[in-house]
Amino acid sequence: MIVTAHKARFTEPLRLSGGAVLPEFEIAYETYGELNAARSNAVLVCHALNASHHVAGTYAGDPDNVGWWDNMVGPGKPLDTDRFFVIGSNYIGSCFGSTGPASTNPATGKPWGADFPVVTVEDWVAAQARLADHLGIERFAAVMGGSIGAMQALQWTLDFPERVRHAIVIACTPRLTAQNIGFNEVARQAIMTDPDFHGGHYYDKGVVPARGLRIARMVGHITYLSDDAMMEKFGRALRRAAPGYDFEIDFEIESYLRYQADKFAGYFDANTYLRITKALDYFDPAARFGGDLAKAFAQAKADFLVVSFTSDWRFSPARSREIVRALLDSRRIVSYLEIDAPQGHDCFLLDDARYHGALRAYFRNMPL
Amino acid sequence: MIVTAHKARFTEPLRLSGGAVLPEFEIAYETYGELNAARSNAVLVCHALNASHHVAGTYAGDPDNVGWWDNMVGPGKPLDTDRFFVIGSNYIGSCFGSTGPASTNPATGKPWGADFPVVTVEDWVAAQARLADHLGIERFAAVMGGSIGAMQALQWTLDFPERVRHAIVIACTPRLTAQNIGFNEVARQAIMTDPDFHGGHYYDKGVVPARGLRIARMVGHITYLSDDAMMEKFGRALRRAAPGYDFEIDFEIESYLRYQADKFAGYFDANTYLRITKALDYFDPAARFGGDLAKAFAQAKADFLVVSFTSDWRFSPARSREIVRALLDSRRIVSYLEIDAPQGHDCFLLDDARYHGALRAYFRNMPL
C-alpha cells in the first residue's frame, strides 16, 4: 500500500488547557481507504510517544519506512481499509510534521523552542477535531489507539461524545501512577540538565541535548518491555568472549539499549519529549469529577473495546480494569479483552493472533 | 549505642577477578558487642549500594547519623549485640572509607580515578576475609545482608565454606536479569556521558558528574520501591495549587526524586557507583557451573535463611525461590520466608514485625 502524508493548516487560534493560545497550527496526517458516501466509515488512529501519523503502508520510493501499525491497518487487515476510511493523525507538539517546538513562532520568526506551550491530551483531541471538520467527518465509526493513543481515544469520548461511535482503548490507564510520573521525571531531568539543552532554546545553537534524549529513551524502552521478554530476547548473553572488567559493552542488553538510544537521539526532538511526558502526567479525566472515573464517563456515548496485556507493567491490566469498571458503572457498553502475552507494554504493537482476531471481529461486527 | 568506625590496612597485594592487582588496601568497619572467648559469636553484616559499614548506633557527638540497619542490630534487637559480636564491613571500591577510586594510587601519588579496577562480589568477599583474619575470626556464626549485601553473604558460603555457619540472604537474586542490567546501564550511561565525568578523572578538576549521579539515583530509587508503595506515599498529589503547564515541579513524586537526587549527588562518588553496578551485573555464581546454581551450592556448608518480599520487583520472590530450590537440590538446610509486604525492595530495611520476628528467632536458635 503506497501512501502519502498530508498537512492541514488551521488559522483559527486554539486555546490550550494551560491558558496559552496557539495562533495557528498544522496537523500532519495520512488516510487509507475511501470515505463512503454516508461518511460513516471513518476511523481515527491516534499514536503513542515514538510514532507518527504514518500508521500503515509505505511512501513511494521508500519501501523500508513502513507505518508503525501496518500489521493492524490495511487491506484485509484487522482494521480493513477496504471497508474503513482510516486517518492517521499526528498531534500538536510533535516533531513529525505537526506544529511543535521546532516550528516557527509567528511572533518572533524563530523556532518556538522553550516557548512552545505545554499541551495536553485534551489539546491534542481539540486539534484533531479541527482535522475531522476539515475532512468532513462529523462522526467517527471508531477512535482507536494504544498507550498514549488510547488516552486520546478515551478523551475523544468525553470531549466529543456525539462524534465517536466506538472507542478502542488498548494498553491504557485512566491516570499515571507515581511510578509512571517518576520515570517521566527521570527523562525530563536527563534532558533538562544536559548542557546542550540551553533551557530549550537549542535550535539555533547547532546542538541538541542528545545525552539527555539517550537516557530518556533507555529508561522508556525498559518500561515498554517485560522483564521476562527482555530475558527471553537478551538474557545475560555477552557481546564479547568474556567479561571485560571495564565499562565497554559486556551484555547484549547494553548494546541494544545504547543502539536504541543513539538512534532515538538522532531523530527525536527533546522539547517534544518533554511535552509528551507532561501530557501523560496531566492525563486524568476523573480529576474534575472528584476522582470518580464513572462520573467522567457519564458524558460518553460511545461503545468501548478495552484491551490489556498481562505482562504490561507500565499500564498494567489492573489499570484497564479500572476503566472497564467505571464504564460499566456509567452503563456504557464495553467489551474487555485481557491477553496473556509476555512482551510487556509493546504487546499492543505486535501481531498476536488472539488480539488481532478480536480486533478484526470487533470491526467486522461494526455496522456502517 | 555509641560506636566508632575503624580502618584495617592490608599490605599484601590482592589479585582481583579481572586480573588487576590491588597493591594494598584498607577496609573501613565497625563492631558492636563483644567477641566471646570461643570466638564463635561473630556475625558479618554486608551492606548494599547506598550504605556503609555504619550499620548500627551513632557516633559520639553526632546523634543524627544513625546506622542504616539500626532497627535490626543492637542490644535487644533481632541481631542482639548482647549475644553476638557484629561486624559492619565496608567493601573495597566504596566511597565511604575503604580503598576506592578516590583513594591515592600508590603508583602515581594521585587519586586512582578511572584507573581503579572493576571489583566483583568475589573481590569484596576476598577482601573481607582478610578483615576476618585481622579480627581473629576463623568462622562466622553468620554472614548476613540484604540486596547486594545478600550477594556477599551467598558468595561467602561458596568461597569460604568452612568459615560460615549460617548465611542470611535477604531480598537477593542469584543473578541480575536483563532488565536489572538495563537499569544499571542507564545509570552508567548517565554518569559516563556527563561532561563533568572527564573519563573518570574528575577529582583534580574541581567538579563531579553530579548530573549523571542525579539520574542514576532517581532511576535506582524508583526500582527500590513498589508502584503501590509510591502511590500510597505520593499518589498524584500536587506541590502547587494547580498544574503549572511548565517544567517546574508539579507532583510530590517529582519533588521527592529531585531531592533524593541532589542529596545523593552531594555525597556519593560516581566512580564507585559505576563499579558497584558492574559488580552487580557480573554476579552469577552459577556461571562457572554451566548455569547450574545447585552445583555452585554443592561447595557450600552453611545453613541458610532466605527472605524475600512479595512487592520487590527488582529482586522478586521468584529469584529467591530459585536460590531456595538450588539449595534444596544441593541438600543444604534452608529456611525460606516470603513476606507479603507492600514497600518493594526497600522492605529489607524496614521494621516489619513478621520479618524481624523471624530473624530474632533464627538468631536466638543459633547455638554459639
mmCIF file of all heavy atoms in Angstrom, chain A residues 45-49 68 91 124 143-154 168-170 172 348:
data_model
loop_
_atom_site.group_PDB
_atom_site.id
_atom_site.type_symbol
_atom_site.label_atom_id
_atom_site.label_comp_id
_atom_site.label_asym_id
_atom_site.label_seq_id
_atom_site.Cartn_x
_atom_site.Cartn_y
_atom_site.Cartn_z
ATOM 1 N N VAL A 45 -6.990 6.868 13.985
ATOM 2 C CA VAL A 45 -5.965 6.134 14.725
ATOM 3 C C VAL A 45 -5.001 7.142 15.353
ATOM 4 O O VAL A 45 -4.386 7.950 14.641
ATOM 5 C CB VAL A 45 -5.201 5.159 13.806
ATOM 6 C CG1 VAL A 45 -4.037 4.517 14.557
ATOM 7 C CG2 VAL A 45 -6.144 4.085 13.270
ATOM 8 N N CYS A 46 -4.902 7.089 16.671
ATOM 9 C CA CYS A 46 -4.037 8.018 17.412
ATOM 10 C C CYS A 46 -2.755 7.293 17.800
ATOM 11 O O CYS A 46 -2.784 6.114 18.142
ATOM 12 C CB CYS A 46 -4.753 8.507 18.667
ATOM 13 S SG CYS A 46 -6.379 9.218 18.337
ATOM 14 N N HIS A 47 -1.650 8.011 17.788
ATOM 15 C CA HIS A 47 -0.376 7.325 18.003
ATOM 16 C C HIS A 47 0.215 7.603 19.379
ATOM 17 O O HIS A 47 -0.198 8.508 20.091
ATOM 18 C CB HIS A 47 0.621 7.650 16.889
ATOM 19 C CG HIS A 47 1.111 9.070 16.859
ATOM 20 N ND1 HIS A 47 2.098 9.522 17.686
ATOM 21 C CD2 HIS A 47 0.743 10.127 16.086
ATOM 22 C CE1 HIS A 47 2.336 10.805 17.417
ATOM 23 N NE2 HIS A 47 1.521 11.197 16.450
ATOM 24 N N ALA A 48 1.222 6.799 19.710
ATOM 25 C CA ALA A 48 1.879 6.893 21.012
ATOM 26 C C ALA A 48 3.152 7.727 20.888
ATOM 27 O O ALA A 48 3.359 8.440 19.903
ATOM 28 C CB ALA A 48 2.157 5.513 21.568
ATOM 29 N N LEU A 49 4.003 7.638 21.867
ATOM 30 C CA LEU A 49 5.127 8.564 22.008
ATOM 31 C C LEU A 49 6.017 8.635 20.780
ATOM 32 O O LEU A 49 6.295 9.700 20.241
ATOM 33 C CB LEU A 49 5.944 8.153 23.239
ATOM 34 C CG LEU A 49 6.946 9.179 23.762
ATOM 35 C CD1 LEU A 49 7.122 9.015 25.256
ATOM 36 C CD2 LEU A 49 8.289 9.119 23.077
ATOM 37 N N TRP A 68 3.830 2.328 11.438
ATOM 38 C CA TRP A 68 4.088 1.659 12.721
ATOM 39 C C TRP A 68 3.011 0.639 13.095
ATOM 40 O O TRP A 68 3.248 -0.245 13.920
ATOM 41 C CB TRP A 68 4.254 2.679 13.842
ATOM 42 C CG TRP A 68 3.064 3.574 14.052
ATOM 43 C CD1 TRP A 68 2.812 4.764 13.439
ATOM 44 C CD2 TRP A 68 1.961 3.349 14.943
ATOM 45 N NE1 TRP A 68 1.622 5.291 13.870
ATOM 46 C CE2 TRP A 68 1.082 4.449 14.800
ATOM 47 C CE3 TRP A 68 1.627 2.336 15.843
ATOM 48 C CZ2 TRP A 68 -0.111 4.547 15.529
ATOM 49 C CZ3 TRP A 68 0.442 2.439 16.567
ATOM 50 C CH2 TRP A 68 -0.407 3.538 16.405
ATOM 51 N N TYR A 91 -0.025 14.566 16.419
ATOM 52 C CA TYR A 91 -0.586 15.530 17.365
ATOM 53 C C TYR A 91 0.271 16.796 17.447
ATOM 54 O O TYR A 91 1.447 16.792 17.104
ATOM 55 C CB TYR A 91 -0.820 14.929 18.748
ATOM 56 C CG TYR A 91 0.260 14.042 19.347
ATOM 57 C CD1 TYR A 91 1.525 14.534 19.624
ATOM 58 C CD2 TYR A 91 -0.031 12.723 19.683
ATOM 59 C CE1 TYR A 91 2.475 13.718 20.215
ATOM 60 C CE2 TYR A 91 0.917 11.906 20.274
ATOM 61 C CZ TYR A 91 2.172 12.398 20.542
ATOM 62 O OH TYR A 91 3.112 11.605 21.125
ATOM 63 N N TRP A 124 -4.648 17.866 22.286
ATOM 64 C CA TRP A 124 -4.449 17.037 21.085
ATOM 65 C C TRP A 124 -5.795 16.706 20.441
ATOM 66 O O TRP A 124 -5.946 16.760 19.226
ATOM 67 C CB TRP A 124 -3.736 15.722 21.453
ATOM 68 C CG TRP A 124 -2.308 15.883 21.853
ATOM 69 C CD1 TRP A 124 -1.494 16.948 21.588
ATOM 70 C CD2 TRP A 124 -1.514 14.943 22.583
ATOM 71 N NE1 TRP A 124 -0.242 16.728 22.114
ATOM 72 C CE2 TRP A 124 -0.221 15.496 22.728
ATOM 73 C CE3 TRP A 124 -1.758 13.689 23.126
ATOM 74 C CZ2 TRP A 124 0.818 14.842 23.393
ATOM 75 C CZ3 TRP A 124 -0.727 13.025 23.787
ATOM 76 C CH2 TRP A 124 0.538 13.600 23.924
ATOM 77 N N VAL A 143 -12.658 5.695 17.208
ATOM 78 C CA VAL A 143 -11.369 6.323 17.508
ATOM 79 C C VAL A 143 -10.581 5.275 18.289
ATOM 80 O O VAL A 143 -11.120 4.639 19.207
ATOM 81 C CB VAL A 143 -11.520 7.623 18.310
ATOM 82 C CG1 VAL A 143 -10.157 8.226 18.594
ATOM 83 C CG2 VAL A 143 -12.400 8.610 17.559
ATOM 84 N N MET A 144 -9.331 5.125 17.926
ATOM 85 C CA MET A 144 -8.583 3.938 18.349
ATOM 86 C C MET A 144 -7.134 4.304 18.624
ATOM 87 O O MET A 144 -6.553 5.157 17.942
ATOM 88 C CB MET A 144 -8.643 2.953 17.191
ATOM 89 C CG MET A 144 -7.781 1.730 17.303
ATOM 90 S SD MET A 144 -7.956 0.775 15.749
ATOM 91 C CE MET A 144 -7.089 -0.703 16.198
ATOM 92 N N GLY A 145 -6.556 3.652 19.628
ATOM 93 C CA GLY A 145 -5.137 3.842 19.859
ATOM 94 C C GLY A 145 -4.629 2.932 20.959
ATOM 95 O O GLY A 145 -5.418 2.317 21.698
ATOM 96 N N GLY A 146 -3.314 2.841 21.069
ATOM 97 C CA GLY A 146 -2.670 2.109 22.144
ATOM 98 C C GLY A 146 -1.838 3.067 22.964
ATOM 99 O O GLY A 146 -1.300 4.048 22.452
ATOM 100 N N SER A 147 -1.764 2.837 24.279
ATOM 101 C CA SER A 147 -0.938 3.658 25.152
ATOM 102 C C SER A 147 -1.406 5.123 25.110
ATOM 103 O O SER A 147 -2.575 5.394 25.375
ATOM 104 C CB SER A 147 0.536 3.511 24.752
ATOM 105 O OG SER A 147 1.394 4.112 25.693
ATOM 106 N N ILE A 148 -0.531 6.051 24.754
ATOM 107 C CA ILE A 148 -0.933 7.457 24.682
ATOM 108 C C ILE A 148 -2.020 7.644 23.625
ATOM 109 O O ILE A 148 -2.877 8.516 23.752
ATOM 110 C CB ILE A 148 0.288 8.339 24.346
ATOM 111 C CG1 ILE A 148 1.414 8.071 25.334
ATOM 112 C CG2 ILE A 148 -0.089 9.806 24.343
ATOM 113 C CD1 ILE A 148 2.691 8.820 25.007
ATOM 114 N N GLY A 149 -1.980 6.809 22.603
ATOM 115 C CA GLY A 149 -3.034 6.848 21.586
ATOM 116 C C GLY A 149 -4.380 6.467 22.178
ATOM 117 O O GLY A 149 -5.422 7.033 21.813
ATOM 118 N N ALA A 150 -4.375 5.525 23.115
ATOM 119 C CA ALA A 150 -5.615 5.101 23.767
ATOM 120 C C ALA A 150 -6.160 6.199 24.669
ATOM 121 O O ALA A 150 -7.371 6.372 24.804
ATOM 122 C CB ALA A 150 -5.367 3.830 24.566
ATOM 123 N N MET A 151 -5.235 6.963 25.287
ATOM 124 C CA MET A 151 -5.692 8.101 26.090
ATOM 125 C C MET A 151 -6.467 9.089 25.221
ATOM 126 O O MET A 151 -7.480 9.650 25.636
ATOM 127 C CB MET A 151 -4.496 8.819 26.722
ATOM 128 C CG MET A 151 -3.793 8.017 27.805
ATOM 129 S SD MET A 151 -2.326 8.916 28.383
ATOM 130 C CE MET A 151 -1.807 7.858 29.738
ATOM 131 N N GLN A 152 -5.969 9.302 24.016
ATOM 132 C CA GLN A 152 -6.668 10.203 23.099
ATOM 133 C C GLN A 152 -8.050 9.644 22.738
ATOM 134 O O GLN A 152 -9.034 10.390 22.680
ATOM 135 C CB GLN A 152 -5.827 10.431 21.842
ATOM 136 C CG GLN A 152 -4.536 11.185 22.128
ATOM 137 C CD GLN A 152 -3.537 11.069 20.984
ATOM 138 O OE1 GLN A 152 -3.766 11.535 19.881
ATOM 139 N NE2 GLN A 152 -2.406 10.425 21.243
ATOM 140 N N ALA A 153 -8.118 8.337 22.508
ATOM 141 C CA ALA A 153 -9.410 7.723 22.186
ATOM 142 C C ALA A 153 -10.394 7.929 23.341
ATOM 143 O O ALA A 153 -11.555 8.300 23.136
ATOM 144 C CB ALA A 153 -9.220 6.239 21.881
ATOM 145 N N LEU A 154 -9.923 7.710 24.579
ATOM 146 C CA LEU A 154 -10.769 7.947 25.755
ATOM 147 C C LEU A 154 -11.236 9.396 25.809
ATOM 148 O O LEU A 154 -12.409 9.693 26.037
ATOM 149 C CB LEU A 154 -9.993 7.652 27.047
ATOM 150 C CG LEU A 154 -10.052 6.276 27.677
ATOM 151 C CD1 LEU A 154 -9.413 6.321 29.062
ATOM 152 C CD2 LEU A 154 -11.486 5.782 27.772
ATOM 153 N N ILE A 168 -11.708 2.387 20.913
ATOM 154 C CA ILE A 168 -10.905 1.177 21.093
ATOM 155 C C ILE A 168 -9.642 1.576 21.843
ATOM 156 O O ILE A 168 -8.797 2.320 21.343
ATOM 157 C CB ILE A 168 -10.609 0.526 19.737
ATOM 158 C CG1 ILE A 168 -11.954 0.185 19.066
ATOM 159 C CG2 ILE A 168 -9.751 -0.719 19.913
ATOM 160 C CD1 ILE A 168 -11.839 -0.338 17.667
ATOM 161 N N VAL A 169 -9.570 1.107 23.081
ATOM 162 C CA VAL A 169 -8.658 1.634 24.098
ATOM 163 C C VAL A 169 -7.718 0.507 24.498
ATOM 164 O O VAL A 169 -8.096 -0.387 25.241
ATOM 165 C CB VAL A 169 -9.495 2.139 25.294
ATOM 166 C CG1 VAL A 169 -8.607 2.562 26.437
ATOM 167 C CG2 VAL A 169 -10.433 3.269 24.846
ATOM 168 N N ILE A 170 -6.483 0.557 24.021
ATOM 169 C CA ILE A 170 -5.563 -0.577 24.152
ATOM 170 C C ILE A 170 -4.363 -0.188 25.017
ATOM 171 O O ILE A 170 -3.743 0.857 24.792
ATOM 172 C CB ILE A 170 -5.086 -1.023 22.751
ATOM 173 C CG1 ILE A 170 -6.298 -1.312 21.844
ATOM 174 C CG2 ILE A 170 -4.180 -2.244 22.848
ATOM 175 C CD1 ILE A 170 -5.945 -1.497 20.383
ATOM 176 N N CYS A 172 -3.981 0.949 28.060
ATOM 177 C CA CYS A 172 -4.195 2.328 28.537
ATOM 178 C C CYS A 172 -4.217 2.367 30.064
ATOM 179 O O CYS A 172 -4.110 1.356 30.758
ATOM 180 C CB CYS A 172 -5.507 2.850 27.964
ATOM 181 S SG CYS A 172 -5.751 4.628 28.162
ATOM 182 N N PHE A 348 0.960 -4.155 22.355
ATOM 183 C CA PHE A 348 -0.104 -3.568 21.530
ATOM 184 C C PHE A 348 0.332 -3.363 20.083
ATOM 185 O O PHE A 348 -0.500 -3.224 19.191
ATOM 186 C CB PHE A 348 -0.652 -2.284 22.169
ATOM 187 C CG PHE A 348 0.117 -1.019 21.874
ATOM 188 C CD1 PHE A 348 -0.159 -0.247 20.746
ATOM 189 C CD2 PHE A 348 1.092 -0.570 22.758
ATOM 190 C CE1 PHE A 348 0.530 0.932 20.503
ATOM 191 C CE2 PHE A 348 1.788 0.593 22.520
ATOM 192 C CZ PHE A 348 1.502 1.359 21.381
#
